Amino acid sequence: MSQVPIIELKNIRKFYGKIEALKGVDFLIYPGEIVGLVGDNGAGKSTLVKIMMGVFPPDAGEIFVEGKKVNLRSPSESRKFGFEPVYQETDLISQLNIWRNFFLGKEITKKFFIAKFLDKKKMRDITSKALDNIGIKIKNPDSDIMALSGGERRSVSIGRAWHFGGKILILDEPVTGLSVKETEKVLEYLKKIKKTGCSVVIITHNIYHVYDVADRIAILDRGTKVAEMRKEDCTPEEIMDIIRGKKKIV
Amino acid sequence: MSLRIKITPELGSLISFLCIFIFFGVFAPRFLTIESIGSMLNMAAEFGIVVVGVTLLMTGGEFDLSVGSVFALGSFIFVSAISNGVNPYLAFVFVILSGIMIGLLNGLITVKTGIPSFLTTLGTMLFWRGVMLGLSGGQTIPFQIKSRLIENAGGRFVDPFLNSVWIFLVTVLIFHLIFEHSRYGNWLRASGGNKIVGELMGLPVNKTKIQAFIVCSVLASFAGFLDACRLKTFNPLLGQGMELEAIAASVLGGTSLLGGYGTLIGSLFGVLIISALRVGLVMMGMTVYIYFSLVGVILIAAILIKHRFSVKFIKGA
Ligand SMILES: Nc1ncnc2c1ncn2[C@@H]1O[C@H](COP(=O)(O)OP(=O)(O)O)[C@@H](O)[C@H]1O
Ligand SMILES: [Mg+2]
């Protein structure tokens, strides 16, 4: 690919106290591609996501967005670049209903004299439509988040990320903890999203979850990127072996 | 879930209020007169303005135990300023500025150090009470200064209702709009509901909370100013115990102690429950002391009922 990557991370390092979670990782994402970022628990995947999302800065290394060096100082800066996350831990607030969660931090307002009021009708409509588009049936955008199943909640997060994502969707373990049926559904969404040309990073410890949809696969192991390949160049079994540390990298 | 009538906490507080209201209507002679309803609302007004701020802050996941001291300090600053010849309007500006500073301090200490606000504001509650007692020498300060501002803030245009009743209702309305219809309201609930997720989604959680601390202190000192204008005196014991009573009113109105949920409509009824009890018990010829015990019992009962309902609600959903 001769394109400029949307985001490029160079030699990223991150410490949690004495633990070095990332030991100089390079990672990049081109427009329109689906990247699988795989590795065992504790490999540093979620840490990398949080650096891309501006949750905290790296202790060393550089970040380029469309070729320009940047500091991602907060999640709202990353979101402004068009990066949208679905975090491994829940990223919905149980006290807010569906549409309030959907638009959290990106609320639509309308002006009324000097005051800005929430445009609730518009947000309800967009929420229903966006979720409908991706194939999620929500009866009422005013429903409690707590009334949804685990899979439905994950779907709301993914629908939200897709709606606002413009550039890159970063999904951290999007199917972990979901039933087989729900997993299939989420993988369906990903194929849909891929067709729209949005880049997607899928993080997982299970290669079989992403092998179908990914174009490229990067493998992290205890803070180091140990392999990276186009999907055509490897079988899922080979990747599993690398993750387990059985196979030496060529 | 078969019956989908959602018993929201604020609906619960309306029902409790109506029950208490009807009870006194039946058993307390003269409870259902305009005078008694007037004194109920008059009693509710200043306290209610404080409860608005407390509700805002609790929804944002924080407590303010210093409101009682700040209430008294608002009265003290106003009364001592005008007694020293300061123009009442300027004195009023001092009161509001002090509220802003105190709230900012509460907020900054809480957010920057990570000390739970229950403790930071316990500290500032004692601190400001001490400062005020020191400066006033523990003496009441009556005054006789005449001013349009004082007459309006402490008087009544429509008998028997104090003007502060209208101010209270307008405050409830304004903050209801902010809660339900503004971006800030959404952020505040999110910050109180789950700070970490709020930050992950890019919300300025700390700023949102500090703003709520400021609003809470400003409303408390403003209510203290209203009190000074009404009574035309400062009393150093003013506002003692108010902080817990305000939390009780807010919780009776459905505000979650854990943050993330609260409504101003609920708090309005929470405040009315408390003042209906005060007025009603006196009219039934009971001693005022029983009032505290009753508020305690009702508070526990309300939380039990709410807990039962929410458990059912989640199971049924
Ligand atoms: N907030 C934290 N504080 C301390 N250590 C952490 C924290 N988050 C992650 N770690 C550690 O950093 C390493 C990488 O974690 P993480 O990025 O969550 O890995 P993964 O998502 O690949 O499972 C692990 O050893 C983990 O224990
Ligand atoms: Mg992880």
Side-chain angles (χ1 to χ4, degrees):
Chain A
M1 271 188 227
S2 59
Q3 288 159 298
V4 182
I6 303 175
I7 187 169
E8 177 165 17
L9 298 122
K10 281 192 182 160
N11 204 15
I12 297 293
R13 300 176 69 184
K14 175 73 193 174
F15 290 87
Y16 293 111
K18 284 204 169 137
I19 300 171
E20 191 172 11
L22 296 173
K23 303 172 180 165
V25 172
D26 296 332
F27 187 64
L28 46 68
I29 303 158
Y30 287 107
E33 68 170 346
I34 296 198
V35 185
L37 180 61
V38 295
D40 212 346
N41 286 339
K45 308 180 297 292
S46 296
T47 304
L48 198 63
V49 172
K50 285 178 181 156
I51 286 172
M52 285 192 271
M53 285 312 304
V55 175
F56 40 62
D59 293 315
E62 295 173 309
I63 303 172
F64 298 84
V65 173
E66 284 167 346
K68 265 188 247 114
K69 188 169 186 270
V70 295
N71 288 315
L72 299 171
R73 274 181 237 96
S74 71
S76 57
E77 276 188 31
S78 288
R79 289 185 89 188
K80 276 186 201 127
F81 280 120
F83 311 158
E84 281 291 325
V86 171
Y87 290 104
Q88 177 173 3
E89 306 85 20
T90 180
D91 51 12
L92 298 171
I93 291 178
S94 49
Q95 289 92 341
L96 301 182
N97 65 25
I98 295 176
W99 70 261
R100 281 184 186 273
N101 265 292
F102 195 93
F103 278 94
L104 190 58
K106 298 246 184 185
E107 294 87 353
I108 301 176
T109 53
K110 54 184 173 190
K111 248 190 138 152
F112 185 75
F113 295 107
I114 47 161
K116 278 192 197 157
F117 285 99
L118 295 178
D119 194 339
K120 293 187 180 181
K121 187 179 174 317
K122 203 165 177 183
M123 288 191 277
R124 284 193 184 102
D125 288 350
I126 294 176
T127 304
S128 295
K129 250 184 232 142
L131 295 180
D132 201 44
N133 259 343
I134 197 172
I136 307 160
K137 297 231 157 29
I138 297 285
K139 274 164 251 136
N140 181 0
D142 281 289
S143 306
D144 278 354
I145 282 288
M146 295 310 281
L148 303 179
S149 73
E152 286 171 322
R153 275 182 235 175
R154 193 58 59 85
S155 309
V156 170
S157 299
I158 294 174
R160 170 174 72 182
W162 187 29
H163 178 76
F164 291 107
K167 294 269 168 64
I168 309 176
L169 265 181
I170 306 172
L171 310 176
D172 194 354
E173 309 265 6
V175 295
T176 304
L178 297 192
S179 69
V180 176
K181 257 199 179 152
E182 288 172 330
T183 301
E184 277 170 8
K185 246 195 181 156
V186 168
L187 295 177
E188 281 303 305
Y189 305 154
L190 296 183
K191 285 179 189 153
K192 269 193 175 172
I193 292 167
K194 184 178 179 174
K195 283 192 195 129
T196 66
C198 180
S199 303
V200 183
V201 182
I202 308 163
I203 287 132
T204 174
H205 58 268
N206 185 343
I207 179 64
Y208 296 99
H209 287 154
V210 291
Y211 191 79
D212 261 4
V213 288
D215 301 309
R216 187 159 58 84
I217 287 158
I219 303 170
L220 271 187
D221 182 20
R222 281 160 291 170
T224 311
K225 192 169 76 181
V226 292
E228 183 160 20
M229 60 275 271
R230 301 202 58 74
K231 182 176 66 181
E232 304 85 77
D233 305 336
C234 61
T235 66
E237 288 73 25
E238 283 172 322
I239 294 170
M240 278 319 269
D241 283 346
I242 297 173
I243 295 172
R244 290 200 202 97
K246 277 190 192 159
K247 189 176 158 167
K248 284 276 164 286
I249 296 106
V250 276
Chain B
M1 197 178 215
S2 51
L3 235 178
R4 189 124 192 143
I5 300 170
K6 191 168 164 184
I7 309 239
T8 57
E10 57 275 21
L11 187 61
S13 69
L14 168 64
I15 294 168
S16 334
F17 170 68
L18 288 179
C19 291
I20 290 169
F21 195 79
I22 291 167
F23 174 84
F24 284 127
V26 173
F27 293 102
R30 302 186 41 77
F31 182 76
L32 290 176
T33 58
I34 193 87
E35 286 73 25
S36 110
I37 290 171
S39 57
M40 193 178 90
L41 287 170
N42 290 346
M43 196 172 280
E46 288 159 17
F47 173 63
I49 291 171
V50 175
V51 173
V52 168
V54 167
T55 301
L56 188 83
L57 201 47
M58 269 168 65
T59 303
E62 304 292 343
F63 291 99
D64 188 349
L65 295 184
S66 70
V67 285
S69 296
V70 174
F71 178 81
L73 195 67
S75 167
F76 174 70
I77 289 175
F78 186 73
V79 174
S80 55
I82 58 170
S83 305
N84 284 301
V86 175
N87 176 302
Y89 289 92
L90 186 61
F92 173 71
V93 172
F94 288 165
V95 170
I96 299 302
L97 285 180
S98 73
I100 294 173
M101 303 278 286
I102 292 171
L104 184 64
L105 192 70
N106 283 342
L108 282 177
I109 296 177
T110 303
V111 162
K112 295 290 171 198
T113 64
I115 299 172
S117 50
F118 202 86
L119 296 178
T120 33
T121 58
L122 178 64
T124 55
M125 163 182 123
L126 296 169
F127 179 80
W128 293 117
R129 179 70 62 184
V131 166
M132 192 175 49
L133 287 172
L135 290 177
S136 65
Q139 303 291 311
T140 55
I141 313 174
F143 66 87
Q144 264 135 26
I145 294 147
K146 293 262 179 291
S147 149
R148 190 80 167 276
L149 179 70
I150 296 169
E151 300 318 315
N152 287 345
R156 42 189 105 196
F157 294 147
V158 187
D159 236 23
F161 305 106
L162 283 166
N163 291 345
S164 53
V165 170
W166 314 123
I167 298 175
F168 168 47
L169 294 178
V170 169
T171 310
V172 168
L173 180 68
I174 291 172
F175 283 93
H176 171 73
L177 290 178
I178 292 175
F179 258 53
E180 288 298 317
H181 299 278
S182 82
R183 190 176 268 181
Y184 181 78
N186 213 30
W187 293 5
L188 188 70
R189 277 200 228 167
S191 305
N194 193 330
K195 176 175 164 23
I196 294 169
V197 171
E199 278 169 352
L200 287 177
M201 298 316 293
L203 302 185
V205 169
N206 287 344
K207 192 173 140 196
T208 304
K209 289 192 176 201
I210 290 175
Q211 286 165 339
F213 274 107
I214 293 175
V215 170
C216 187
S217 293
V218 167
L219 287 176
S221 52
F222 175 66
F225 153 79
L226 290 176
D227 189 85
C229 293
R230 176 167 63 92
L231 298 173
K232 310 227 167 5
T233 180
F234 159 77
N235 178 343
L237 299 180
L238 210 60
Q240 273 186 334
M242 184 185 238
E243 56 289 327
L244 295 180
E245 231 176 320
I247 292 173
S250 197
V251 170
L252 280 176
T255 307
S256 164
L257 270 177
L258 305 173
Y261 190 85
T263 66
L264 267 305
I265 303 301
S267 287
L268 171 65
F269 289 113
V271 169
L272 290 179
I273 287 171
I274 287 199
S275 42
L277 280 177
R278 286 212 146 159
V279 172
L281 287 174
V282 172
M283 293 195 134
M284 278 177 76
M286 302 232 217
T287 133
V288 186
Y289 303 123
I290 201 175
Y291 153 81
F292 287 107
S293 315
L294 255 180
V295 170
V297 170
I298 290 174
L299 186 66
I300 291 171
I303 290 166
L304 274 180
I305 292 168
K306 182 175 142 190
H307 187 69
R308 282 285 151 81
F309 269 117
S310 54
V311 168
K312 245 189 217 152
F313 190 63
I314 288 166
K315 272 191 194 152

